[in-house]
Amino acid sequence: MDWIGQIHGMFQMLYATHARTGEPYGAALPSTSLADLDQATAQASTAFEVWQASDAATRAHLLQGLATALESERDTLVTTADAETGLGMARLNGELDRTAFQLRRFAQLVTAGAAFAHVDDPAVPGLPPAGHPALMRVRVPLGPVAMFAASNFPFAFSVLGGDTASALAAGCTVVVKAHNGHLHTSRLVFALIQTVLTAQGLPAGVVQMVQAEGFEIGVALIQHPRIAAGAFTGSTRGGLALQQAARERVRPIPFYGELGSINPVLATPTALALGGEALAQTLAASIALGCGQFCTNPGLLVLQRSPESVAFVQALVTALQAQQPHVMLTAGMRHAFDAGLVAQLQAGARALLHEPVADRAPRPALLEVDADPFLRHAVLRDEVFGPSSLIVWYDDTAQGHQVLHAVGGALTVTLWGMSEDTPAHRAWVRTAASVAGRVLFAGVPTGVAVSAGQQHGGPWPSSTAPFSTSVGDAALDRFLRPVAYQDAPAWLSACQGQPC
Ligand code: NAP
């Protein structure tokens, strides 16, 4: 394809929407043309020559500078993000804190040598297989990364979110496809990145950004010959489309998609008898948190038919009725929430709590279904993005395991009531671990700690790359490729995994 010659959409403008009123928000913004996209990837590619060879101190300095800049622009950023997303000042301030924390954590990791870890395997004299040449296994950054932001985290999974932080720490440059749900927030964050890059004497191409209506720009980005990897956070459908586009390239590239998930919560009757009202309150708050717009939202409750479970469900309905979800991120998501609940009802689910309203803020919903129809109808395993959950009733343990296996893949499975070491509990843990990237034994799945032991990404359909994580220290590993240096010259071995 002739990238340079294409200037479709050059004069298009983008218009943001106020999440609470649905009215236009802020000034019109220019849309990225395919020619602009080509220019952005060219800058990212040129900058990669510099950035891949940067030392730990340079990378840490940039990441720390970005964290400080984010905090210094807090008021403007949070106010703008609140208008564009309706997520509320408290949540957005907390998310900005988390985003700055992530940047500083990757600064610490790179300073500690995480990107430069290597295996030094000296020569062994003699014939193979015991004898071998000197080998040093190092890791090199992949190249410019295409990064796709999600709507529901305008900071933490957006322009300067975890994907960008970990890619920069690894020595990759980044071209962000901004989300159309928070256009102005993205532009402000991009502007502050450019200010920091200039102040630190780094090329503008270390981070570039594109913004446009429609999917053409995203597909063009992931298929651009200069792009070496993709990192995506968003819906399963969007992730699948972009993964496909990445595979269809002349030279396919790694694609790390963090997608939607229904996050089963399984609770034994004993746990419910002990936890009762408190568990119902905690779960209701988690279902309604952020208007249910979390990839870790507990969208499925797997319960054994028992008096304790029935009492718990009654308490949960009451606790959910007291929740007051705020507006949803976009009108499209609001519509999709209603449509998702209707699809569940049409597939045989019964409503325990379902109060359709015309408002931009929905009411929480709780539906129930027996295990048999759940196992038969795939639509009941689809994510309904919003403040709702579906109870699946099972009669015997074998059926409960079948229900979890039918989910296929999830970011999390929560198991309440496994404190004793019994064969039955071990079996639940095995099933849960076969389905999810994170298995919880207490609390609720919303809230993902940014730390060394974190795993955020499970089997399909929750992720396209279940062997990697997009949250936590190991996120860095996605952007590094192993290389073995055999019989390397002394100067190269002396680099000890540092860029040469
Ligand atoms: P989305 O609609 O999939 O959008 C994500 C990005 O992909 C946007 O930039 C979007 O462009 C682009 N896109 C979507 N479909 C595409 C296609 N067919 N071709 C090319 N580009 C495409 O997701 P979202 O609405 O922002 O986020 C909500 C979803 O993300 C939920 O399912 C939630 O569970 C999931 N999520 C997952 C995680 C995680 O860590 N696993 C975290 C947060 C959210 P536009 O800007 O033009 O729409």
Side-chain angles (χ1 to χ4, degrees), residues 148-153 157 177-181 212-215 218-219 232-239 241-242 258-261 294-295 333 383 385 411 456 462 470:
F148 295 83
S151 56
N152 56 337
F153 284 92
F157 284 89
K177 155 64 180 70
H179 199 284
N180 285 323
E213 279 291 345
F215 298 150
V219 173
F232 171 95
T233 304
S235 62
T236 300
R237 191 187 309 172
L242 286 163
E258 290 303 332
L259 315 175
S261 178
F294 282 107
C295 52
M333 281 185 185
E383 179 190 47
F385 199 56
L411 293 169
H456 189 62
S462 66
S470 69

Side-chain angles (χ1 to χ4, degrees), residues 93-117:
N93 269 298
E95 191 183 324
L96 189 140
D97 288 339
R98 172 195 164 152
T99 310
F101 177 86
Q102 286 176 168
L103 288 159
R104 294 200 175 97
R105 186 159 182 101
F106 281 109
Q108 285 166 3
L109 283 173
V110 81
T111 304
F116 313 119

Side-chain angles (χ1 to χ4, degrees), residues 153-232:
F153 284 92
F155 299 120
F157 284 89
S158 193
V159 182
L160 208 39
D163 285 337
T164 300
S166 51
L168 292 178
C172 293
T173 55
V174 176
V175 182
V176 180
K177 155 64 180 70
H179 199 284
N180 285 323
H182 49 271
L183 290 165
H184 288 278
T185 311
S186 301
R187 193 150 277 252
L188 288 170
V189 173
F190 180 61
L192 76 78
I193 295 173
Q194 290 304 315
T195 305
V196 174
L197 288 172
T198 305
Q200 296 193 6
L202 293 167
V206 170
V207 180
Q208 285 290 294
M209 189 180 84
V210 297
Q211 291 185 300
E213 279 291 345
F215 298 150
E216 185 187 18
I217 200 83
V219 173
L221 177 60
I222 198 69
Q223 293 197 326
H224 197 288
R226 293 193 191 98
I227 292 297
F232 171 95

Side-chain angles (χ1 to χ4, degrees), residues 13-14 29 31 44 76 124 148 193 239 337 345 390 394 399 455:
M13 299 302 282
L14 300 173
L29 295 170
S31 175
T76 312
V124 173
F148 295 83
I193 295 173
F337 177 65
L345 290 167
L390 174 67
Y394 68 91
Q399 201 179 36
Q455 171 57 31

